[in-house]
Amino acid sequence: MSAETPWYDLFSRGSRDWLRHNQKVRDAVQQNLPNLVAGPDVMTGAQDRTVQVPVHLLEHARFRLADSWNKPQSAAGQGKGKPGDVLRQADPSPGEESGGGGNNEGEVKLMLEFKVDDIIDWLWEELQLPDLKPRHNTAIEDDSMVREGWDKHGARARLDRRRTVKEAVKRRAIQENPVPFTNEDLRFRQLVQRRKPATNAVVLFALDVSASMTEAERKLAKSFFFFVLQGIRRRYAKVETRFIAHTTQAWEFSESEFFNVSGTGGTGASTAFKLALEMIEKEYDPARYNGYLFYASDGENFTEDRPAATDYLNTLAGLLNFVGYVETVPGTHRTTETEMKAICHEIEHAGAPISACDLTRHDDVWQAIRKFFIKQQAE
């Protein structure tokens, strides 16, 4: 079997068709992943929401007559060819270039609806990412309702039918002329409150919104933030999110405002790190929360801000499970080290749980997530 043969050809014809269709659906989903983060509340929105993905319909091959059978043919495939002939596409039909209406055959797409959670499960299965490692001392006691025993009285919704039938059978076995059921046969499941260990996490997202950050750069950051949060949610029972945006000052925003805010002037990354540190110290005790900070920027930062940014970021790295920095550079990688990347590399070389990665296109999001998860798992 050659290397070019599709893997699904190893199966029977029916299985091949099903597997090929499934692969086409997954390809369509991956091509439309940027549309998943187009909404205003993709992170804090409902987890059971759905999205529609267009999938190409494949028709069976068939013969048909040409539209103009008596029109002289001069396209590729007419007559004998000779070495050196240049093959080109046929001339466009009238109306294709001008954008006007035409009678040419169009393309049909089927809109399939998927749950966002199902799509994320596919991605995580293909990425084969390692599990995140929570801190050993961050297990807290959480209240939970568990089933424990039965009672003859209770809410109708908690009626245990199987247990009720068993009680009725035992009663009728020792009675003469028994009735089918009595109130004494009823058994209701009882719920009691129990304390159980649970792990919580807080994820802080910080975004540079200065004048140098373009819409394309913010979109890359949003894609990364969305998918890395889905991975963290698959590891922890409860996850809280906070959103910080900054220029030379930092503010906390709601998610819907976070990705739409823009600013003017310079960049002072230390203001965002200072605000994040205040949140951690006041509201998220590292002994009870697994903390993560993800920061996105174009790499520019005020030179005089470097000592303060380094100090705050180094302190955060000591309190959090992991700090990830993504540098948004749509189109091409930078050949020189930016101010922010230099700060991150300095802290990383000192042994702190921090790492940096470039985002030039949407596919780089998966490489960044894989790098960060493997790095955090190894810390």
Side-chain angles (χ1 to χ4, degrees):
M1 187 174 183
S2 65
E4 292 79 11
T5 303
W7 58 272
Y8 41 74
D9 279 355
L10 295 172
F11 299 87
S12 64
R13 180 171 182 178
S15 298
R16 286 202 309 268
D17 291 342
W18 181 84
L19 292 169
R20 183 168 179 263
H21 169 75
N22 192 42
Q23 186 63 40
K24 292 290 184 183
V25 171
R26 292 199 177 203
D27 291 343
V29 168
Q30 291 187 347
Q31 291 171 6
N32 286 272
L33 284 178
N35 297 330
L36 293 180
V37 296
D41 293 306
V42 295
M43 297 187 191
T44 56
Q47 294 302 298
D48 59 349
R49 65 191 183 281
T50 59
V51 292
Q52 289 188 336
V53 177
V55 179
H56 293 279
L57 288 177
L58 300 180
E59 297 184 13
H60 292 288
R62 67 186 190 279
F63 291 101
R64 65 178 179 84
L65 296 176
D67 294 333
S68 302
W69 61 272
N70 58 352
K71 184 178 179 180
Q73 303 294 314
S74 59
Q78 303 299 318
K80 296 182 178 181
K82 59 182 182 298
D85 285 350
V86 178
L87 302 180
R88 62 176 179 82
Q89 294 182 348
D91 295 332
S93 301
E96 289 187 355
E97 291 185 347
S98 61
N103 60 355
N104 296 317
E105 292 187 4
E107 184 181 32
V108 178
K109 293 182 180 180
L110 178 66
M111 299 298 293
L112 299 182
E113 192 171 31
F114 299 94
K115 287 187 176 180
V116 173
D117 278 352
D118 292 341
I119 293 177
I120 302 299
D121 288 341
W122 288 353
L123 296 174
W124 252 247
E125 178 185 344
E126 294 181 2
L127 285 175
Q128 298 180 350
L129 296 173
D131 287 335
L132 295 174
K133 296 195 330 187
R135 296 176 184 264
H136 295 293
N137 60 341
T138 54
I140 64 176
E141 294 297 320
D142 190 18
D143 292 330
S144 177
M145 302 299 292
V146 297
R147 293 178 180 176
E148 186 173 289
W150 292 269
D151 197 352
K152 295 181 179 180
H153 305 281
R156 182 66 62 178
R158 294 202 296 268
L159 176 65
D160 190 331
R161 293 179 174 81
R162 178 176 296 180
R163 189 79 179 185
T164 298
V165 170
K166 286 183 177 180
E167 294 297 328
V169 169
K170 289 191 295 183
R171 176 184 53 79
R172 290 198 297 263
I174 60 176
Q175 289 181 344
E176 294 182 5
N177 302 320
V179 296
F181 289 99
T182 68
N183 288 338
E184 292 297 319
D185 299 331
L186 300 179
R187 293 295 183 269
F188 297 87
R189 302 185 187 93
Q190 298 302 300
L191 298 180
V192 295
Q193 193 173 42
R194 293 283 184 242
R195 305 282 288 177
K196 68 174 184 179
T199 53
N200 288 2
V202 57
V203 186
L204 293 89
F205 296 103
L207 179 64
D208 175 13
V209 295
S210 61
S212 58
M213 285 287 287
T214 64
E215 181 65 28
E217 291 172 331
R218 284 199 294 268
K219 188 173 182 179
L220 276 175
K222 186 177 184 180
S223 297
F224 170 76
F225 287 162
F226 170 74
F227 288 110
V228 76
L229 178 60
Q230 303 310 312
I232 293 176
R233 278 180 172 156
R234 274 157 176 72
R235 184 61 185 87
Y236 296 102
K238 296 180 180 179
V239 179
E240 297 185 35
T241 54
R242 304 292 287 269
F243 300 93
I244 301 172
H246 79 91
T247 55
T248 54
Q249 299 182 39
W251 306 269
E252 183 181 5
F253 290 92
S254 65
E255 182 189 346
S256 58
E257 298 170 334
F258 179 66
F259 291 107
N260 294 316
V261 68
S262 60
T264 59
T267 306
S270 66
T271 59
F273 302 149
K274 179 182 178 181
L275 181 55
L277 183 59
E278 292 174 354
M279 291 179 179
I280 294 297
E281 292 177 340
K282 293 180 180 179
E283 304 179 48
Y284 303 102
D285 183 1
R288 295 172 57 87
Y289 283 87
N290 295 273
Y292 295 86
L293 169 67
F294 294 99
Y295 174 56
S297 169
D298 59 357
E300 304 299 331
N301 194 46
F302 188 46
T303 305
E304 282 72 10
D305 187 59
R306 183 170 186 174
T310 303
D311 184 45
Y312 285 124
L313 196 56
N314 197 23
T315 304
L316 282 167
L319 298 175
L320 302 176
N321 293 42
F322 188 74
V323 177
Y325 167 63
V326 288
E327 193 161 290
T328 54
V329 283
T332 181
H333 290 279
R334 288 197 176 108
T335 57
T336 58
E337 190 174 65
T338 61
E339 181 71 16
M340 272 310 307
K341 193 174 289 186
I343 293 174
C344 291
H345 286 167
E346 178 182 340
I347 300 175
E348 183 179 9
H349 292 158
I354 186 174
S355 187
C357 195
D358 289 341
L359 296 182
T360 62
R361 52 197 177 93
H362 188 79
D363 289 344
D364 291 339
V365 168
W366 317 121
Q367 299 177 15
I369 292 176
R370 173 178 288 277
K371 178 180 178 180
F372 290 159
F373 272 58
I374 293 177
K375 173 75 175 178
Q376 195 275 337
Q377 195 270 347
E379 290 294 339

